[in-house]
Structure formats: structure tokens, C-alpha cells
Amino acid sequence: MSSENPALTLVVNHDKAELLAHVLGERFPQVRIIVAPDSERLDRYIGEAEVLLAYHFPVELYGRARKLRWFQSLSAGIDSMLSIRDRVGDIIVTNVRGMQGGLIADYVMGGVTMLNWNIRQLLKEQAERKWIHRSVAPLADKTLGIVGLGSIGTSIARRAKSAGMIVFAAKRDISVPAESVDRLFGSDQLKELLPLCDFVVLALPATPETVGLIGADEIACMRRDAFLINIARGSVVVESELIRALQACSLAGAMLDVFEREPPPQDSPLWNMPNVIMTPHISGILTHYVERAFDIVTENVDRYLKGLPLRNVIDLRRGY
Ligand code: GLV
């Protein structure tokens, strides 16, 4: 705690809460900062927080967060708090939008390249000491469709375009042309977009409106030689339908960073499917994550203290 008559009380809940508290304490001596890295301390101090800084909102404690005015999320997705979105009233919610786009675009382009080259098969052949030639179409011949063109989707579009790909995207508001996108589709035109794509990348937030968005009908719209890459949330895809399509080879393959359940159950067929690359929800986990969030967090605390509008405000009714 850093002040006798604090301008506000800010609770930090994160593994690196001490570090965040130290940086914020030096910059804002007038703020009372409470370090609550674990659930026990969060439970003890949540009632005092005017501002909460955490990776996920502790929904189970919401009823006791009586003084809370602002929640700064350290993640991009705030889907974990959508279950209480009708109850949060005028609490401001902000996220770290803009921080992870570059890394996630690296992940997606790595995935596109690995799937295009069928890297799993090449590694298998290497292990079997086999030398088999084949031809591979360049990415410049390929079309990539991005579902959800926010800050992350835009980073992916930019990177795919610089690889020479044809880039399509679906988003809610298509009234403004988008950078690096050859053609925009409205969110109600998904079934027109899907059959045109060699790669479909899901980059949209999980909201009640997007849960199960990619189900049997949408997968059936995709080409048999197409690949799905999901860096959004597992809930956006009906996983059983995806597994069915991958097993039946009515979809060529998938690269999945997110799942309906994380980690997926040990008996999930996804673990050892030859046409699937799985990663443990890491596509946005930058090295020095908290340090990179300092800029957004300190700017927002400064703005909050001055009564200015905050950066990266979430519209909870939309869910992003
Ligand atoms: C990660 O998935 C995030 O939402 O930041």
C-alpha cells in the first residue's frame, strides 16, 4: 500500500502481481495498490477494489466487488465475464487489445505453411528414413478467409497479404473497407465466404452470438481440401462436428490452439489425428507478457485518475 489518503484502491491479481504493483506504485504513489496473486488474497480484498487488474474476471466474487468501477483485463478475450454482463451495470471493462496480434499472426502463418506442406507427413517420412518428392502450391495461389476482423484478424490479414495470399474476411460492420483484405463479407454471409477459402482462420471473440458458429452446416460449406485454423475460442466451433469432418476427410486438416475443454479430454480423438496440429492455447502468450502490458495498463491508470476515457474499452453487450 502506497498512500495514506489514496486516490483509489487498485487490486492486482496475477502471478506477477508484485512486479505490476511495483511499476504502478512508482508511477502512481497516490494509488493504494493491493497485491493479490492468489485466489485467497483476491477473495480477501475484492470488496476494497475500485479497480481490478487480472487475467480473468473472478465471476464468483462479483457479488462482493461492491466498490468496483473498472476492470482491466490482462487478456484479450473477456468471454469469462459474459455470464454476468447483464449485471455489471456501468463498470468499465478494458482489455489488452493490440498486444498479441503480431505473435498470433506468426502462429497463423506458421500453421498455414505447415498445413500447406503437410509437415506432419514430412516428419513421419523423415522418421521412417523415406525420401519422397512432391510438388507444393505456393501460398500466392491460395486464399485465406478470416472470420472476425478485429485487431488480431487485421494483423493476420496484413501478414497473409504480404505472403501474396488472396485474403477474404467476414465481419459485422463492412461499411468501411479493410486494409489488406481483397473482399469483405458480412457476418451473415459466412456460407458464401467459406467455400472460397483454402484456409479459414477463426479470429472472432466468443460471445453468446458466436458460440457454435462453425457447426455441421458451415463445415459442409468448406472445401474438402481446405484447412481450419482456430485461434479464437473452442466454443466457436462444434468440436464433435469438426472431429467427424476430419475423420471423414471432408475437411483436409486443422490447426487448433483452443478447444471446447482445455486441456481436451485424454480420450479426445484430436490428440492423434494425422491431419491435426494441436497447441495448448499459447498463440497469444508473448514472452515478457506482463511487461508488455505495462504501457496499456499505466496509460489507462493515468487516464482513469484524470477522468479521461480509457483505452481498449469493451462493449459488454457486443462482447468485445
Ligand atoms: C488469450 O486467449 C487471450 O484472450 O488473451
Side-chain angles (χ1 to χ4, degrees):
M1 189 183 129
S2 19
S3 170
E4 276 181 21
N5 277 313
L8 66 93
T9 296
L10 184 151
V11 172
V12 189
N13 168 240
H14 191 273
D15 292 348
K16 289 196 173 173
E18 290 280 1
L19 176 63
L20 273 162
H22 176 73
V23 171
L24 291 171
E26 292 220 315
R27 173 81 195 272
F28 305 104
Q30 71 275 44
V31 174
R32 176 187 179 219
I33 299 170
I34 298 177
V35 176
D38 48 45
S39 48
E40 192 191 314
R41 270 174 285 183
L42 184 59
D43 187 81
R44 189 178 329 145
Y45 292 115
I46 189 72
E48 297 179 43
E50 179 176 337
V51 178
L52 174 65
L53 189 55
Y55 198 80
H56 292 303
F57 190 85
V59 172
E60 67 289 357
L61 301 182
Y62 175 63
R64 293 186 17 239
R66 293 214 174 77
K67 296 187 182 159
L68 194 66
R69 307 297 329 132
W70 166 35
F71 167 56
Q72 168 71 55
S73 166
L74 290 168
S75 74
I78 48 86
D79 40 304
S80 58
M81 74 181 297
L82 289 182
S83 60
I84 53 159
R85 69 173 167 180
D86 296 332
R87 291 195 281 140
V88 296
D90 54 2
I91 290 176
I92 304 165
V93 178
T94 52
N95 71 356
V96 291
R97 182 164 57 225
M99 200 173 92
Q100 299 149 310
L103 184 69
I104 296 179
D106 290 348
Y107 176 96
V108 169
M109 293 314 291
V112 164
T113 306
M114 288 194 283
L115 294 167
N116 194 42
W117 286 82
N118 198 354
I119 197 76
R120 286 203 52 158
Q121 180 62 22
L122 286 170
L123 292 175
K124 182 167 172 286
E125 288 164 23
Q126 177 187 343
E128 293 166 355
R129 294 174 152 66
K130 286 186 178 158
W131 185 262
I132 304 170
H133 273 126
R134 69 263 278 158
S135 60
V136 178
L139 291 184
D141 286 359
K142 301 280 178 178
T143 299
L144 178 126
I146 304 167
V147 183
L149 196 69
S151 153
I152 293 169
T154 302
S155 297
I156 297 167
R158 223 175 269 143
R159 211 66 78 71
K161 199 71 224 157
S162 69
M165 300 184 85
I166 299 163
V167 180
F168 296 149
K171 69 190 291 258
R172 231 152 79 152
D173 176 10
I174 56 168
S175 58
V176 184
E179 175 206 340
S180 303
V181 175
D182 296 289
R183 184 172 161 198
L184 269 181
F185 293 73
S187 43
D188 56 348
Q189 294 176 301
L190 200 54
K191 289 185 177 164
E192 289 167 49
L193 165 74
L194 294 173
L196 303 176
C197 302
D198 298 297
F199 298 89
V200 172
V201 182
L202 304 178
L204 70 175
T207 68
E209 294 73 34
T210 63
V211 167
L213 183 78
I214 306 295
D217 289 353
E218 290 70 24
I219 294 170
C221 287
M222 290 178 66
R223 300 212 304 252
R224 293 182 81 83
D225 60 352
F227 298 98
L228 182 75
I229 300 178
N230 190 2
I231 51 89
R233 286 290 184 267
S235 61
V236 171
V237 177
V238 181
E239 203 166 275
S240 56
E241 295 298 345
L242 176 64
I243 292 171
R244 212 188 314 274
L246 289 165
Q247 282 170 334
C249 294
S250 49
L251 197 61
M255 174 132 166
L256 306 171
D257 190 44
V258 288
F259 302 85
E260 267 176 6
R261 259 178 62 195
E262 294 182 6
Q266 284 299 309
D267 62 356
S268 167
L270 290 170
W271 287 106
N272 49 14
M273 291 176 83
N275 50 354
V276 173
I277 301 173
M278 284 170 71
T279 51
H281 200 150
I282 51 164
S283 62
I285 308 295
L286 294 144
T287 50
H288 311 297
Y289 190 93
V290 161
E291 291 81 344
R292 292 180 209 258
F294 284 161
D295 280 354
I296 295 174
V297 172
T298 49
E299 184 181 338
N300 265 349
V301 173
D302 187 46
R303 284 168 167 265
Y304 186 87
L305 289 167
K306 290 176 178 156
L308 295 172
L310 302 185
R311 259 177 76 186
N312 290 359
V313 174
I314 301 285
D315 178 347
L316 279 181
R317 275 161 312 147
R318 288 190 324 189
Y320 56 95

